[in-house]
Amino acid sequence: MPALPPSDVADLGLAESGRRRVDFAERAMPVLGLLTRRFARQRPLEGVRVAACAHVTPETAALARTLTAGGAELHLAASNPLSTQDDVAAALVVDGIAVHARYGVDRAGHAGHLQAALDARPHVLLDDGCDLVGLLHAERPDLLDGVRAGAEQTSTGVLRLRQMAAHGALRLPVAAVNDTPMQLLVANRHGTGQSTLDAVMRATGTLIAGTTVVVAGYGWCGNGIAARARGLGASVVVTEVEPRRALEAVLDGHRVLPMARAASLGDVFLTTTGDRDVLTAEHFALMKDGAVLANAGHFDVEVDVEGLLAASVAVHRRVRPHVDAYEQPDGRRLLLLAEGRLVNLAAADGHPAAVMDISFAVQALTVEWLARAELAPGVHEVPAAIDDEVARTKLAALGVELDVLTAAQERYLSTWQG
Ligand code: ADE
């Protein structure tokens, strides 16, 4: 048996369970499967070292199989210690992939895992939340010359990259995978929408019908969460700072209120703004007994957890898995899920495999493109042809047929003269 790659995972003995779950997820990922077979024939990533920061889930393992089938040498670090699935991490190591991820590792351990992925001197970075790109620029600039490009999966990461670029600090080309129509429409809306409600229901057992669900932020994720909450019978209140999104929420039939007014109405609060201090002491003081608080944004800054602790007279940890009850001076209990971290991955399985099929197919094709393209430092759009190919392949896999433009229709669309 070949030597295992240098890794840090919890227990290699879990590999068999991990492998079975990866195989199961792959059955819902036909687009990635087709890519894996093409990559295995063509080996477009031969000799390319890829460092990836990602949630270590069965779906990520499927992407890892695609990239390594294409010839890539992959070094994977966890994106969030609470989303790491130890059996999947073990299965990947047994398959020869270097993995640095353990469930529940502390901040220092997590930082060490990101460093370990960079130690591989990667050519391409696959990032989630700008963690690897940020670390590379801040602490490992000596490695920058060897890195051709990166790809970013999240809204939060793209926002950070654009800030870096605006301040002249970004020294790499990075493809904004998050901004592709496929990612926004499918992953952010349907993936985050379903998996966030799934996490709330699994963690609390709450009947959503008849409740008031407050959704902070009406971007693609907030939009998806609000739609799913309504579908389950909740009244939805949206809070926003951006007038066009607020108007969209109103026209979608939701009530829009400032959080200071929504706080006393909500049974469930879901933050998805990408910004800090969305739920603070001002709001905790107004909330109902039993209110559920959860964050679906990338970082754990949206619920002021320290403020919640300071406002509380006691904390009852793990009243159910992933649920901490914060007792207020007047006896109310506020239920914080997953310590305010990304709830859909910490308390559920993240986006379904059928969604990640699309996201990761876009990622894999983007890595193939980045490994060859000559791009200047900055944030780059993913070519529309990649998104288009993924959508067409997914539709074909689903057995959905499209109409085709006639020659006269093509001509009509390509002229301004009528
Ligand atoms: N991000 C959101 N859902 C995910 C999943 N299931 N696997 C990996 N990354 C994700």
Side-chain angles (χ1 to χ4, degrees):
M1 185 172 143
L4 297 180
S7 295
D8 182 28
V9 300
D11 180 0
L12 287 177
L14 301 173
E16 179 51 26
S17 138
R19 189 191 56 73
R20 264 188 270 122
R21 295 202 308 115
V22 180
D23 290 346
F24 187 83
E26 272 188 333
R27 297 183 70 85
M29 304 178 84
V31 184
L32 208 56
L34 280 172
L35 274 180
T36 305
R37 290 192 282 286
R38 172 168 77 73
F39 275 21
R41 283 194 310 277
Q42 299 177 348
R43 305 281 287 177
L45 303 178
E46 195 71 64
V48 179
R49 280 194 299 279
V50 178
C53 167
H55 301 289
V56 182
T57 65
E59 295 76 32
T60 297
L63 172 64
R65 287 178 176 178
T66 307
L67 297 175
T68 51
E73 179 186 311
L74 181 62
H75 299 260
L76 175 63
S79 166
N80 181 324
L82 291 190
S83 65
T84 293
Q85 300 183 20
D86 285 329
D87 58 347
V88 173
L92 285 170
V93 175
V94 168
D95 279 354
I97 293 164
V99 181
H100 310 278
R102 287 168 177 264
Y103 179 82
V105 75
D106 62 15
R107 279 187 198 273
H110 176 58
H113 286 157
L114 295 172
Q115 294 280 6
L118 290 184
D119 286 343
R121 309 184 72 80
H123 304 117
V124 174
L125 303 179
L126 269 189
D127 215 354
D128 193 286
C130 195
D131 282 352
L132 288 176
V133 171
L135 190 62
L136 185 73
H137 284 71
E139 294 182 29
R140 309 291 296 271
D142 52 305
L143 298 178
L144 267 162
D145 277 351
V147 182
R148 286 184 65 82
E152 171 57 51
Q153 169 88 358
T154 67
S155 321
T156 296
V158 171
L159 200 72
R160 291 196 162 186
L161 289 165
R162 289 199 197 287
Q163 290 298 331
M164 287 176 76
H167 290 90
L170 184 61
R171 292 175 54 195
L172 281 180
V174 185
V177 173
N178 175 75
D179 293 359
T180 60
M182 280 297 88
Q183 183 72 7
L184 298 173
L185 287 167
V186 181
N188 293 11
R189 190 162 61 175
H190 291 281
T192 308
Q194 174 168 315
S195 59
T196 301
L197 268 302
D198 181 24
V200 172
M201 292 189 292
R202 287 193 206 188
T204 62
T206 297
L207 173 68
I208 302 292
T211 62
T212 296
V213 173
V214 178
V215 180
Y218 205 66
W220 289 95
C221 295
N223 177 310
I225 292 172
R228 296 302 148 234
R230 179 159 61 193
L232 288 163
S235 311
V236 175
V237 173
V238 169
T239 69
E240 248 305 344
V241 294
E242 210 278 327
R244 289 163 298 184
R245 290 187 183 156
L247 182 58
E248 188 189 2
V250 170
L251 299 185
D252 284 346
H254 304 306
R255 216 172 149 195
V256 175
L257 289 174
M259 187 59 87
R261 286 184 52 206
S264 60
L265 304 177
D267 299 292
V268 178
F269 293 83
L270 300 167
T271 57
T272 150
T273 69
D275 208 346
R276 55 178 299 163
D277 303 335
V278 178
L279 293 176
T280 62
E282 169 197 359
H283 310 117
F284 306 142
L286 300 172
M287 288 177 179
K288 296 181 195 173
D289 180 33
V292 173
L293 284 56
N295 168 48
H298 185 78
F299 288 117
D300 56 347
V301 294
E302 306 208 17
V303 181
D304 176 12
V305 179
E306 279 180 23
L308 180 57
L309 186 63
S312 306
V313 291
V315 184
H316 307 275
R317 299 269 172 211
R318 303 298 188 260
V319 290
R320 282 171 62 110
H322 308 296
V323 185
D324 293 334
Y326 285 75
E327 189 174 330
Q328 303 304 291
D330 57 7
R332 286 172 304 126
R333 285 182 169 209
L334 305 182
L335 306 178
L336 178 66
L337 307 194
E339 300 168 14
R341 294 171 194 250
L342 192 55
V343 75
N344 63 330
L345 278 141
D349 293 334
H351 302 345
V355 167
M356 295 316 291
D357 187 30
I358 292 173
S359 297
F360 283 161
V362 174
Q363 287 270 29
L365 288 168
T366 301
V367 173
E368 183 184 30
W369 169 59
L370 292 175
R372 289 192 312 260
E374 295 296 336
L375 299 169
V379 180
H380 293 263
E381 279 184 19
V382 172
I386 288 184
D387 226 35
D388 192 78
E389 178 184 338
V390 171
R392 282 181 191 282
T393 313
K394 186 76 173 181
L395 287 168
L398 294 170
V400 177
E401 287 179 53
L402 297 183
D403 278 331
V404 179
L405 291 176
T406 62
Q409 285 175 316
E410 291 263 21
R411 261 197 316 282
Y412 183 80
L413 292 179
S414 63
T415 172
W416 48 272
Q417 286 164 319

